[in-house]
Amino acid sequence: NELILKEGIPAAMKTGKWIGETALLTKTGVEIPISQVIVLHTDENGKPQFLATVARDITESKKVNENLKQSEVRFRAFFENSPVALFVFDLNLSKFVSVNLATERLFKFTNKELKNKGPGDISPEFQPDGIKSEEKIKERIAKALNGEKLEFEWAYITGDGSEILTETRISLLPSNGSPLILTSCLNITERRKDEIELERKNKELQKTNSALDRFGYSVS
């Protein structure tokens, strides 16, 4: 009542219209949140005659908004506390706009430093397959914009100048404004080294087995 009497009606009398969020009570005493418009009507001489009001029930829209807020809070908590490096890239700004703690630890940059960079700034000139990082970034982003969820290996340069190999996933985030790309990175540098070493030992073992087979044949 105070909002309508001290703000709504005086504003409508002065400017001709007031819009705000108020509430009404049903017959059973249930409070309904409403979006209310108060409009001043005047006669041909401009003298105020009466005020009319339009009220729209916004119960469901407020529930939706509340659910969205809760979802955002849950997503933010998951994002910040995830052990996997997660960061969001804004295509219009060409910069990271959100990074979590795991990303700072992985790339050895501070949050502030990373937010002044984009994917190309923390990638070597060439990826392990010999193709320029810049070309591959454009290709990956184009596919993400088409709705594809991509998973691939990607090399990065960390803050201390070392190169790491990651298992990277990217996907397009729902957004009403600038396109946003969500990226997750898992460091597989040591795993790849172990795989290469295992492959080398397997080749040596195959050579040894071949030599033993030849020796056994000679003896026979």
Side-chain angles (χ1 to χ4, degrees):
N1 287 337
E2 186 176 352
L3 176 65
I4 294 173
L5 292 174
K6 291 187 176 182
E7 181 182 323
I9 291 176
M13 293 293 292
K14 183 178 181 180
T15 65
K17 182 173 66 174
W18 176 84
I19 301 174
E21 184 178 319
T22 59
L24 291 176
L25 290 175
T26 66
K27 184 178 180 179
T28 57
V30 177
E31 186 175 306
I32 301 173
I34 62 170
S35 175
Q36 185 171 6
V37 180
I38 300 176
V39 180
L40 174 67
H41 291 260
T42 61
D43 60 19
E44 62 274 8
N45 298 318
K47 183 179 179 180
Q49 284 190 306
F50 60 89
L51 292 167
T53 187
V54 178
R56 181 171 61 87
D57 187 348
I58 57 173
T59 304
E60 291 305 316
S61 63
K62 287 185 72 70
K63 285 181 180 179
V64 170
N65 289 335
E66 183 60 31
N67 288 336
L68 286 173
K69 287 180 182 178
Q70 291 179 4
S71 296
E72 185 177 348
V73 169
R74 287 193 293 269
F75 173 77
R76 177 57 57 182
F78 165 78
F79 183 89
E80 293 293 344
N81 299 312
S82 172
V84 176
L86 297 171
F87 47 93
V88 178
F89 176 62
D90 187 308
L91 289 182
N92 286 350
L93 296 177
S94 296
K95 291 181 180 179
F96 301 126
V97 290
S98 295
V99 298
N100 68 354
L101 292 174
T103 301
E104 295 180 54
R105 290 193 292 266
L106 176 63
F107 294 113
K108 297 180 175 61
F109 285 110
T110 65
N111 189 296
K112 185 177 180 179
E113 288 172 332
L114 284 167
K115 285 185 177 179
N116 285 318
K117 299 180 183 296
D121 298 318
I122 57 174
S123 300
E125 184 178 1
F126 295 93
Q127 287 298 308
D129 59 5
I131 300 176
K132 280 191 173 184
S133 295
E134 184 179 354
E135 295 177 7
K136 299 193 77 169
I137 289 172
K138 291 179 180 178
E139 175 197 344
R140 298 290 195 277
I141 289 177
K143 289 183 177 180
L145 288 174
N146 285 329
E148 293 186 44
K149 294 182 179 180
L150 306 176
E151 180 180 336
F152 49 89
E153 291 186 2
W154 194 266
Y156 291 97
I157 301 295
T158 65
D160 61 7
S162 59
E163 184 172 314
I164 60 173
L165 186 65
T166 68
E167 187 175 86
T168 296
R169 294 180 175 87
I170 66 172
S171 58
L172 183 66
L173 280 178
S175 172
N176 293 327
S178 179
L180 303 175
I181 303 292
L182 174 64
T183 304
S184 68
C185 287
L186 182 65
N187 191 348
I188 60 171
T189 307
E190 294 303 319
R191 188 180 81 188
R192 181 47 52 85
K193 287 180 180 178
D194 292 340
E195 290 173 354
I196 292 173
E197 179 63 17
L198 180 61
E199 186 178 351
R200 184 186 66 79
K201 289 182 177 180
N202 283 336
K203 288 181 179 179
E204 289 181 355
L205 183 60
Q206 289 174 3
K207 289 179 181 179
T208 301
N209 288 337
S210 296
L212 286 173
D213 288 340
R214 289 195 299 271
F215 176 73
Y217 177 77
S218 299
V219 171
S220 176

